Amino acid sequence: MEVEQRLIPTGLHVFGRAAGERECADLLRAVASFDRPECGARSLHDLVSEGLGLGSYEKLIADKSEEGWRKRASVDDAVRASVELFVREGAAAAFELLQRSSRVEPAESVKVFELLGRVKEQLRTSGELEGLARALGGEYVEPGPGADIVQNPAVLPTGRNTHAVNPYAVPSHAAYERAGRVVDTLLARHRAEHGRQPRTMALVLWGLDNIKTQGEGVAQALRLLGVRPVRDSLNRVTEVEAVPLAQLGRARVDVVMTVSGIFRDLFGATMLLLDKAVRTVAGLDEPDELNPVRANVRARVAEGSCSLEEAQLRVFSNAPGSYGTNVNFMVMDSQWESSDALGDLFVTRKCFAYGRGREGRALEGREARDALSRALSSVEAAYQNVDSFEIGITDVDHYFEYLGGVSKAVERHARARPTVYLSDALSRDARVRTLPEMVRLETRAKTLNPKWYEGMLGHGYRGVAEIESHVTNTFGWSATADAVDDWVYAEVARTYVLDEEMLGRLSRLNPHSARSLVARLLEAEGRGFWKAEAGVVERLREAFSDLEDRIEGVA
Ligand code: BEZ
Ligand code: MG
């Protein structure tokens, strides 16, 4: 059911082309699933669930019994049918259907459909080509918020200039609230599986994500530490205060934050805030078992390995002016022998400390390799917030370069592999998944899903390149975190290579990407990430050699 309900991108975005009917219905359904207090609209899922006498949708989601799933499916089906009808025939037809099928009165759903009507109109138009032409001509391009359509439908129409957020407004009240739920779920999950919550975690923070969510990742870091943002008279977040342990009801968690170059460029004030939060917590007079920040800092200082200043560094990024971990390039180019090299590269690129040093001087990216290595040495879990429906952990190489990279670096310095978690910030129930679970879900929802790959193949050459890149990004999770099951590679081979008709399509559309895909499967087998069945490797080698011949013009 989860795979079925995920919003699955069907093909690439074509610049200047507006959304089609099905894509429009999928997006509207996602938009309708959230309460929109700003326009007085309640979640359509809640309205239907209540109309059917099933209570709140939130409760249905929490109920994982078969009966619960069935009830939830009945709500989802009714919502889907009404939104599809709305797209085809308009609001009157949708009102009538909902009243009949789910006893939702038009007066209750009118605000939702007004909102969906506006979103639908705006999805129909694309200002992208015009916006680009204006930008190229040096003309004014109207600005709009930077966000995900589902998070904030006000991003529409597309083709406008993206304005970011005011870093002093981060995290927003809403982001801090939502972060509370995600962090509770995350810690509960870790406790259930490991008997206790992690004492130290590694977090990845990105810039665009924190723009889209008004700082949800930042808020999660504050929540883990057990601090709250404090706003000044101009409503700017410039301080933090510790939540007392009695109120927190659990131990604090030490956090090692590796932030992207984009985050560093956009959120300077926020890096200082995060650094301040760590120093505040390190200075609290609390017992070691409830305050691992203080315990870790004191242990480092007692070892005599560094100063107090140094022992409190937790915010790391690239050197000023530099971006990325390069772990993705090393993996894509197969330029590594032992996976230790991937963890070391991550540390080399990300070991620049930000925050305030002694006497309040800004550190501005001072190289601090030992400090990052030491901080990583006590990490037990790594985590990143996934902020959008469209870009998941196998769509781009950046998730494995960052979250995979930090996980490998932890393995190297803590001598144990951390448990890796991701959350779906957009899901109603603050869902948290382990990395292997997420790889399975992405594989089912995208890489092996005919709806997804046929959408891609419709784009010809570029579509095959996308399929190949999903396989390589999946491979990246083997290389950095050993998080890919055998069946994933076996099914990829079966779908794209052993199926002659499919292989023929790929080779005609884009023989170079087809060859890379086959080579990546052979590399997965060769590096021991996949125990392929007898005969399969032979067939992959033959396919590889045929593709070589084709590319070289022999066949
Ligand atoms: C960021 O928004 O920080 C980001 C974007 C793309 C890749 C990596 C990070
Ligand atoms: Mg990129």
Side-chain angles (χ1 to χ4, degrees), residues 29-49:
R29 198 158 42 84
V31 168
S33 70
F34 290 87
D35 283 334
R36 307 281 171 185
E38 67 278 11
C39 49
R42 287 192 61 212
S43 149
L44 197 51
H45 292 73
D46 278 326
L47 292 175
V48 168
S49 182

Side-chain angles (χ1 to χ4, degrees), residues 493 497-498 500 503 518 521-522 525-526 530-547:
V497 190
L498 307 185
E500 304 228 333
L503 183 62
V518 178
L521 289 171
L522 285 166
E525 196 276 335
W530 171 32
K531 285 180 203 54
E533 275 176 32
V536 170
V537 175
E538 269 335 290
R539 296 199 36 207
L540 290 173
R541 288 214 181 95
E542 280 163 26
F544 182 81
S545 146
D546 290 348
L547 282 158

Side-chain angles (χ1 to χ4, degrees), residues 173-302:
H173 290 287
Y176 190 71
E177 281 313 305
R178 278 200 303 269
R181 287 201 293 279
V182 173
V183 164
D184 288 347
T185 309
L186 174 66
L187 295 179
R189 167 122 206 217
H190 195 89
R191 274 195 294 272
E193 283 166 26
H194 300 264
R196 59 174 180 80
Q197 75 181 40
R199 290 178 59 76
T200 309
M201 290 183 63
L203 307 185
V204 173
L205 295 175
W206 284 356
L208 298 176
D209 294 38
N210 280 284
I211 291 176
K212 288 188 197 170
T213 61
Q214 306 255 322
E216 209 157 288
V218 172
Q220 290 163 353
L222 298 180
R223 287 276 188 182
L224 286 164
L225 287 164
V227 302
R228 64 170 76 93
V230 178
R231 287 160 220 275
D232 68 12
S233 57
L234 297 173
N235 211 21
R236 304 181 324 157
V237 181
T238 48
E239 292 292 334
V240 291
E241 70 183 7
V243 178
L245 284 172
Q247 202 180 332
L248 193 60
R250 59 162 169 87
R252 302 180 193 281
V253 180
D254 193 357
V255 289
V256 185
M257 296 162 271
T258 46
V259 318
S260 72
I262 298 180
F263 186 100
R264 172 204 58 206
D265 293 351
L266 294 172
F267 288 108
T270 310
M271 287 197 297
L272 294 181
L273 188 81
L274 290 167
D275 176 64
K276 196 181 272 180
V278 171
R279 289 172 200 272
T280 301
V281 171
L284 295 171
D285 185 11
E286 293 172 343
D288 280 0
E289 54 305 349
L290 295 173
N291 186 335
V293 183
R294 175 184 159 91
N296 287 336
V297 167
R298 295 211 312 175
R300 297 299 172 259
V301 174

